[in-house]
Amino acid sequence: MWCCVRELWLRAILTCAIGACSILGDFGLRYGKSEPERAAFDNATHATVGGLTWTLIVILSRKYVARNLDSIFSCFLLASFIDLDHFIAARSWHIHDATHLQKRPFLHCTTIPIMLWALFISLSNAFHSPVLEQTSWVILAAFLSHHIRDGTRRGLWFCPFGSTRPIPYYLYVSLCMSLPYALHWLMSLHTFVQKSDGPVALIDV
């Protein structure tokens, strides 16, 4: 009984943390004093939301957080590294050049993570590899959490079909908070979802 209550509290806390982090990140982006400060704050928010998203998925899967720190950290880093395409597209390491592009850089196309997800899922089916399966979901979680945040300004870009309208703010926050639940549900439909490690615990002792 206590484990169930603790798990519900962890889910609620992490869900609220995703929403709060998104909102605080937007304040930092809006009111940052300098361009580098705003860019750093925005990127740190992307990374944190990505890490929290996968942490919640781990808990929803009833796995030990301590045993899945590598995948949590991977999602954290990938959600941050996506913004490197700004510098690649600008062909410059200057923040001003990277943040004043004429069009969105390639890793901000939502078609790319969907295709990568499909590729890794296919490979996991072919080779019966839980590692490849987990990699596919980490990629999808990191990219979607990043793209949804950016979608408030330009919408989601599905090349070659075009972009959606900008996501309304309240919907964007709701999508960020519900993304782990949607991905976990999709994961539960897949053949190679791993069995539970046992009761949820922040520290494996």
Side-chain angles (χ1 to χ4, degrees):
M1 179 66 182
W2 166 243
C3 288
C4 293
V5 172
R6 181 174 59 178
E7 183 179 344
L8 289 174
W9 272 107
L10 286 173
R11 291 182 184 183
I13 290 169
L14 284 170
T15 303
C16 292
I18 291 171
C21 182
S22 300
I23 294 170
L24 288 174
D26 295 334
F27 272 103
L29 181 61
R30 183 178 302 175
Y31 298 112
K33 295 180 180 179
S34 65
E35 208 165 54
E37 182 180 319
R38 291 193 296 271
F41 209 98
D42 185 48
N43 188 259
T45 303
H46 279 309
T48 304
V49 170
L52 289 172
T53 296
W54 193 256
T55 302
L56 182 50
I57 289 173
V58 168
I59 288 176
L60 290 170
S61 303
R62 295 177 177 271
K63 299 179 185 299
Y64 285 112
V65 171
R67 291 181 183 175
N68 289 273
L69 291 177
D70 55 344
S71 60
I72 292 170
F73 191 59
S74 296
C75 197
F76 173 91
L77 287 180
L78 183 55
S80 170
F81 286 170
I82 291 169
D83 275 337
L84 288 176
D85 67 349
H86 282 274
F87 298 97
I88 296 172
R91 297 182 180 180
S92 169
W93 289 108
H94 293 288
I95 290 290
H96 181 80
D97 296 334
T99 56
H100 289 78
L101 299 173
Q102 296 298 316
K103 58 183 180 180
R104 282 189 279 191
F106 66 100
L107 288 181
H108 286 69
C109 171
T110 307
T111 311
I112 289 177
I114 293 174
M115 292 179 65
L116 288 173
W117 170 82
L119 173 63
F120 278 92
I121 282 291
S122 298
L123 291 173
S124 73
N125 286 335
F127 296 103
H128 301 278
S129 171
V131 174
L132 289 174
E133 183 209 9
Q134 178 172 274
T135 300
S136 71
W137 293 109
V138 169
I139 290 171
L140 198 61
F143 271 87
L144 289 184
S145 66
H146 189 116
H147 289 184
I148 289 170
R149 280 201 71 237
D150 286 349
T152 56
R153 296 186 287 273
R154 293 184 174 181
L156 297 175
W157 176 28
F158 293 97
C159 181
F161 308 107
S163 300
T164 68
R165 293 181 178 181
I167 302 173
Y169 194 81
Y170 71 90
L171 180 58
Y172 135 68
V173 176
S174 300
L175 286 173
C176 286
M177 296 171 70
S178 60
L179 178 63
Y181 297 91
L183 291 179
H184 176 258
W185 178 75
L186 290 172
M187 290 170 68
S188 69
L189 301 179
H190 192 261
T191 306
F192 297 110
V193 172
Q194 298 178 19
K195 294 182 179 180
S196 170
D197 291 333
V200 175
L202 286 176
I203 302 176
D204 184 16
V205 293

